[in-house]
Structures are given as C-alpha cells and as structure tokens.
Amino acid sequence: MPSGSSHPAARVRQFFGAIAQRYDLTNRILSGGLDVFWRKKAARLVRRWNPVRILDLATGSGDLARELARACPGVLVVGADFSQPMLARARAKGVAHLVAGDGLRLPFAAATFDAVTVAFGLRNMESWPDALGEMARVLRPGGRALIMDFSMPPAPLLWLYRPYLRHIL
C-alpha cells in the first residue's frame, strides 16, 4: 500500500483511491474471472432471503451492489464505502444508492437492513470484531449477513498460496 499516513484506515483509503481505476480489471485477473461468478451466486443466495433493504458494505466499484439489484428487483440496495474514488466508479456503473461510510462507524440507524453483504472487504477493515458488530447493529432482528472472501487452501497448496496472497493478491 502507498505510504503517507500512519493510520491504518487512512492507508487503506489512500490505497483504494489509488487503484480505483484498475480495481475491476485486477479482480478479474487475480480471480481468473471467478469473482463475477461468485457475485452472481451471492446475489442469488441473498434473493432467497426475500430482503426489502440490503446494505452492500465496502461496495468498492459496486459490482456486488449491481448484481444484487439485478437479482432482487424492487429491493433497495445501498452501497457503502469509505473511498470516494471507489464510490465514483460505482456511480459511473449506475449504482443508484451510494453512501460514504466507514464499516466501523456506519451512518445508519440500528435495524435498518434485512441483509448486509460484504465481498472481499472485511479483510481490509482495521477491526473485524468492530466491523461485524456494526453489521449486526444495522441488521434488523432475523436479518442475515453474507461475507464473501478468499479462504486458505489445504496444507499441500498452502505453501504456494501464502506468497501469492501476500505479494500478488
């Protein structure tokens, strides 16, 4: 990540601002195009929950928010991210409802959403417990969260994956 600020959140914000223009291409290359498939599958899963209001946290360039809107017509899908350049990319793609907000201090009342999604974003938050707590706070009772991210492969492949994860991904 680029240097400039010692505060972790500021560094992450700066990093994503710097890569916003090439973020989608990078995702496609690093995942072998599977990120598109995973988002479609996630949106189909969320649709089965019959939500009325969905928060796509760390929406980035808005790919999951767009997929959720396609899969759940008539449902309010709100994309939230703390990177203005990433929100600009989402806006350019036609994501209708976007909010600038930090996943550790969401600008929403408690019990606002039926579903909260986060795709490849939780790992970039300074505190996972705080982010998960905020997600739980904005979910209505009985609401559901979907967190999509990479996992670690089994031991035989781990020695290849760790350098890939650390230095490339």
Side-chain angles (χ1 to χ4, degrees), residues 4-159:
S5 172
S6 61
H7 192 272
R11 285 195 313 268
V12 171
R13 187 178 292 114
Q14 181 183 11
F15 174 75
F16 281 100
I19 67 165
Q21 294 298 320
R22 61 186 185 277
Y23 180 77
D24 291 334
L25 177 61
T26 302
N27 275 344
R28 300 309 173 270
I29 291 169
L30 292 176
S31 73
L34 288 174
D35 64 305
V36 174
F37 167 77
W38 295 329
R39 284 185 181 91
K40 287 181 184 299
K41 186 171 182 169
R44 287 192 307 267
L45 175 63
V46 171
R47 179 180 60 214
R48 289 191 296 221
W49 301 342
N50 297 315
V52 176
R53 292 175 310 277
I54 302 169
L55 171 63
D56 182 37
L57 182 57
T59 198
S61 64
D63 282 350
L64 182 55
R66 284 181 51 208
E67 202 57 52
L68 289 162
R70 274 190 217 117
C72 307
V75 170
L76 173 65
V77 178
V78 177
D81 203 290
F82 74 171
S83 170
Q84 288 295 341
M86 293 299 274
L87 288 171
R89 298 289 298 162
R91 194 170 295 109
K93 290 180 179 181
V95 177
H97 305 283
L98 294 166
V99 173
D102 186 330
L104 304 181
R105 291 172 298 285
L106 292 171
F108 305 107
T112 299
F113 297 97
D114 304 298
V116 175
T117 62
V118 59
F120 314 111
L122 184 62
R123 64 178 163 205
N124 297 311
M125 295 185 194
E126 190 173 353
S127 168
W128 292 1
D130 291 348
L132 293 170
E134 275 296 276
M135 291 168 66
R137 183 185 67 76
V138 301
L139 274 172
R140 67 162 174 76
R144 295 184 180 188
L146 180 139
I147 299 170
M148 183 168 54
D149 217 316
F150 294 103
S151 62
M152 298 303 261
L157 299 175
L158 195 56
W159 68 274

